[in-house]
Amino acid sequence: MPPEIAAAARSGWDQVEAAVDDHHLEISLINGDPGPDSFLLNDAGPRLDALIDWSTALRGSLLYDLASFRVLTMSAWPAAAGWFAAGYLSETPQIEPELQHLYVVIKARWIANAIYFASRIERGITRGARSPTASEDGLAQAYRGLTQTADAG
């Protein structure tokens, strides 16, 4: 990873750890990678909707799934993050006070993206990419996400 991105990732991780420790963010089982195609929606109503594809499930801050969804949908479907957050809060209202720390947990997702794209670049992986510069573009986007302020995040 280029030094400036690695430094931003280290700084972001320090912020994530401090938020989890200082504010006692709730830790539980999370999906880890919910995106727009991670849902099975039922026409009969939202109570029958489901978050699917739990292959990346792990223990972490309940805010991480919200952060991941926001990062994964921000360019193609920005309004979806509000919908997802509303649904998430209806099922886990205890995290509402934690939402003020969401911007920090979003940094954790940007760190994951930076690691992913830097690894693809280092290993010369281009399969599955939509363009020859997809990994470089993804790494640059992760850096921008890591260096955003709380207001922009």
Side-chain angles (χ1 to χ4, degrees):
M1 202 178 294
E4 69 277 5
I5 299 174
R10 276 191 299 279
S11 174
W13 190 251
D14 290 345
Q15 293 172 40
V16 171
E17 284 186 321
V20 170
D21 291 343
D22 296 347
H23 304 291
H24 308 289
L25 301 184
E26 188 163 345
I27 304 297
S28 187
L29 178 67
I30 58 172
N31 177 280
D33 196 29
D37 57 350
S38 299
F39 296 89
L40 181 60
L41 304 179
N42 191 303
D43 291 335
R47 285 297 213 185
L48 300 174
D49 293 346
L51 177 58
I52 59 174
D53 187 6
W54 287 80
S55 62
T56 56
L58 57 124
R59 285 185 48 79
S61 166
L62 286 174
L63 293 180
Y64 188 78
D65 279 348
L66 288 174
S68 291
F69 191 81
R70 184 187 181 290
V71 167
L72 292 170
T73 61
M74 64 183 246
S75 59
W77 196 24
W83 163 81
F84 185 62
Y88 205 86
L89 279 172
S90 74
E91 296 300 315
T92 53
Q94 71 272 19
I95 68 162
E96 187 169 4
E98 297 180 14
L99 287 177
Q100 64 185 314
H101 308 291
L102 180 60
Y103 76 95
V104 175
V105 182
I106 287 171
K107 287 184 183 277
R109 179 55 199 223
W110 284 124
I111 292 166
N113 283 18
I115 292 167
Y116 172 78
F117 289 115
S119 175
R120 286 180 62 91
I121 292 166
E122 182 179 1
R123 294 181 296 157
I125 297 173
T126 57
R127 70 180 179 278
R130 295 183 187 157
S131 80
T133 62
S135 293
E136 290 81 1
D137 297 343
L139 186 58
Q141 184 182 37
Y143 179 65
R144 285 190 302 276
L146 283 168
T147 56
Q148 285 180 336
T149 64
D151 294 337

